[in-house]
Amino acid sequence: MSLSRISNLQAHLRIVQKTSSTALGSVITRHHPKSVSSLRTISSSSLVRDKQATAATVKPVQKQHDWNRAVSEAEKIVGYPTSFLSLRWLLSDEIANVALHLRKLVGSNHPLLKTAKILIYNGKNNMQAWGLIVLLISKAVGHAPSVPDLEQDKSAGVLHSQRALAEITEMIRTSSLVHQGLVNLQPLANAGNDLSGDSEMIFGNKIALLSGDYLLGNACLQLAGLKNQELIELISSSVRDLAESNFVGDRDIQNNPLPTKPEPGTTRSSDTLSDEDLGLGDLEDNTKPLNIKDVLGNPEKEWSLRHILSAGSLLGKSCQGALILAGQPEKLQKQAYLFGKHLSLAWQACIDLESFSSPNLTPGGRFSLVSAPVLFQLEYDPTLYDEIKKGRDCIDNIDYAKVHSEVLKGPGVEKTRNLQKKHSLAAMAVLNELPPSDARTALQNIIIAMQDL
């Protein structure tokens, strides 16, 4: 068929379509004069109903404060997903080599594999949203007028230095998690024996040590690049706290933490301890080591100490550091520290509760022995500590099903809920002092969404 004939056919079809539509319109108008206006009315009313239906379907989702939804909306506010804030190191040749070597550990049951899985899948139970929190508090508070325009990322409403700090925070946290994947291959009594049969575990330890050091080294390099002495001292003290968290209280041979035996007459109910009682010295000067005197054996103080050292210190000081970079006054900086600390503790309380959300423990299931419900149960029933003592050599010797059952019978779960609520309200109180903004609303939604963790 020639091109001219195809062109003539296409023109003929267009004429037919136009004639048909015109004829149809005239028929409708002639025989049903009200049809056109009725169609307009129907279309407009259906549009209203569609809007109402859409609003009706959206509202319940907002009320549920779904965790993934809250984080997703918060990420839009700061510009992009923060789980992969530092693509520079994630896609570097060094990390690519680590990933290659990590594949060799598949099937070896090395703890580093579990850590990698948590980091990759970024589940709601880990703290990979820390960079997001730092950026949101930065945007919610704003910066001083004296900050030069070149320092501002106006599209996201934060400073370039604050975005770098968010990356540093995630790298330090990730390096700490990776370092915790190290395995003690033999007790001190057998030190020096042949370990040739544990070649895979030795290889896994090397990868965990070197990759953790690489991340921490890069974080320190970026921190120095910000050229702020006050910030460097502050974040360095949080790295010290992370290291100190591994030496608090009793441990088994694999450095798994064990709770301290409650001291009679020294414990107090969780809902009576104020922020000053839980200060541990960080309310006066949070760059100094925390005061651990008379803390171990007191369930809430011990729990707070462990998790401020291992998590709350870094998040709180990163929030404080973001305001240092913004040139905000010292009083507001301290409020940012308290916000990050309380948010971290509320988050941890939610995670602790998850292990006791079911009446029965799954076969082979484990949970943290220093979680808040366990510590509160030990206060309520000190005889449970006899079971805990079996884990002095290895926590595998503990009957987790028995501990789980005993915790559910006591007040530990309810006290942990009160603990979570207290720290959530403390974090909310800081936010309520800030001017209304989309960043502040996003932080509030995240706190509310933690109830579903």
Side-chain angles (χ1 to χ4, degrees):
M1 187 179 290
S2 63
L3 292 175
S4 60
R5 187 173 180 184
I6 292 173
S7 178
N8 290 335
L9 285 173
Q10 289 175 340
H12 179 69
L13 285 172
R14 284 195 292 270
I15 293 171
V16 171
Q17 289 172 348
K18 184 176 181 181
T19 305
S20 301
S21 61
T22 304
L24 180 62
S26 63
V27 168
I28 292 174
T29 307
R30 185 170 61 253
H31 294 284
H32 304 283
K34 295 182 179 180
S35 297
V36 176
S37 60
S38 299
L39 285 173
R40 291 196 187 102
T41 305
I42 291 171
S43 61
S44 61
S45 61
S46 63
L47 182 61
V48 172
R49 285 198 303 271
D50 288 343
K51 288 182 178 179
Q52 290 174 346
T54 303
T57 54
V58 169
K59 285 181 180 178
V61 175
Q62 292 175 341
K63 288 180 181 179
Q64 288 174 1
H65 294 286
D66 176 76
W67 172 259
N68 293 330
R69 181 185 179 88
V71 171
S72 177
E73 290 180 349
E75 287 174 342
K76 294 176 185 177
I77 292 172
V78 296
Y80 55 83
T82 54
S83 302
F84 297 100
L85 269 174
S86 188
L87 291 174
R88 291 192 298 275
W89 61 262
L90 187 67
L91 300 179
S92 65
D93 291 338
E94 290 86 352
I95 294 299
N97 287 331
V98 169
L100 256 172
H101 291 305
L102 199 61
R103 294 179 60 185
K104 300 177 183 179
L105 294 177
V106 175
S108 66
N109 201 30
H110 194 282
L112 182 59
L113 290 174
K114 183 179 179 181
T115 303
K117 182 179 178 182
I118 293 173
L119 294 174
I120 292 172
Y121 288 103
N122 193 27
K124 61 186 179 182
N125 287 355
N126 67 60
M127 298 293 278
Q128 288 306 293
W130 282 11
L132 175 63
I133 301 297
V134 173
L135 292 179
L136 285 173
I137 195 69
S138 301
K139 187 170 183 177
V141 175
H143 55 79
S146 58
V147 176
D149 288 344
L150 289 176
E151 289 291 321
Q152 303 174 25
D153 182 357
K154 295 186 178 180
S155 62
V158 297
L159 306 180
H160 294 296
S161 57
Q162 290 173 329
R163 195 175 290 282
L165 177 60
E167 295 179 3
I168 291 167
T169 302
E170 286 204 348
M171 278 195 282
I172 293 175
R173 173 61 173 166
T174 304
S175 70
S176 175
L177 292 173
V178 171
H179 277 149
Q180 289 175 13
L182 287 166
V183 178
N184 184 12
L185 297 177
Q186 57 184 205
L188 187 61
N190 298 331
N193 292 345
D194 183 27
L195 291 173
S196 56
D198 293 318
S199 58
E200 287 184 340
M201 303 302 278
I202 293 175
F203 181 74
N205 278 356
K206 290 179 179 179
I207 296 300
L209 181 62
L210 295 175
S211 56
D213 286 351
Y214 171 77
L215 293 175
L216 185 59
N218 268 272
C220 293
L221 185 63
Q222 287 193 32
L223 181 62
L226 295 178
K227 299 179 180 180
N228 188 307
Q229 183 63 35
E230 184 181 0
L231 177 67
I232 292 173
E233 181 182 2
L234 184 68
I235 301 301
S236 298
S237 67
S238 70
V239 177
R240 176 206 63 213
D241 293 339
L242 278 172
E244 187 178 345
S245 68
N246 293 300
F247 299 93
V248 173
D250 295 331
R251 303 264 166 167
D252 74 346
I253 58 174
Q254 291 298 337
N255 202 40
N256 294 305
L258 295 169
T260 306
K261 185 177 181 179
E263 295 295 333
T266 61
T267 57
R268 297 173 61 186
S269 177
S270 65
D271 48 0
T272 62
L273 288 175
S274 64
D275 190 54
E276 287 74 18
D277 294 324
L278 298 173
L280 305 174
D282 58 332
L283 297 180
E284 294 79 22
D285 184 358
N286 60 359
T287 60
K288 294 182 178 180
L290 298 184
N291 181 14
I292 63 173
K293 183 181 179 181
D294 300 327
V295 170
L296 298 181
N298 183 313
E300 186 176 358
K301 282 190 173 184
E302 179 176 337
W303 179 84
S304 300
L305 173 69
R306 289 180 183 275
H307 296 295
I308 290 174
L309 287 173
S310 64
S313 175
L314 178 59
L315 183 58
K317 291 176 182 179
S318 295
C319 292
Q320 179 181 350
L323 299 201
I324 291 176
L325 293 170
Q328 295 292 353
E330 185 176 349
K331 183 179 179 180
L332 198 54
Q333 295 172 19
K334 288 298 179 69
Q335 288 296 106
Y337 167 73
L338 290 176
F339 167 76
K341 183 178 79 168
H342 285 298
L343 177 61
S344 173
L345 293 177
W347 204 326
Q348 186 61 47
C350 289
I351 294 173
D352 288 355
L353 282 170
E354 188 176 17
S355 300
F356 300 93
S357 59
S358 174
N360 297 311
L361 186 66
T362 57
R366 296 292 182 86
F367 51 85
S368 173
L369 296 171
V370 293
S371 62
V374 176
L375 292 176
F376 284 128
Q377 180 62 25
L378 287 173
E379 175 193 28
Y380 174 74
D381 180 16
T383 61
L384 183 61
Y385 194 74
D386 293 336
E387 184 65 35
I388 301 295
K389 286 193 296 186
K390 297 178 182 178
R392 289 275 177 87
D393 292 330
C394 181
I395 59 172
D396 294 337
N397 300 329
I398 295 176
D399 186 349
Y400 278 83
K402 177 182 177 181
V403 176
H404 186 272
S405 175
E406 291 299 319
V407 169
L408 291 180
K409 295 176 184 176
V413 174
E414 185 59 33
K415 283 193 172 186
T416 304
R417 289 196 185 98
N418 294 335
L419 187 67
Q420 189 275 333
K421 182 179 179 181
K422 181 170 68 174
H423 288 293
S424 294
L425 291 174
M428 280 286 197
V430 176
L431 291 179
N432 291 337
E433 297 297 322
L434 302 179
S437 66
D438 53 354
R440 190 188 79 166
T441 301
L443 287 169
Q444 291 171 333
N445 288 340
I446 286 176
I447 294 174
I448 297 172
M450 283 195 299
Q451 313 300 322
D452 298 328
L453 279 178

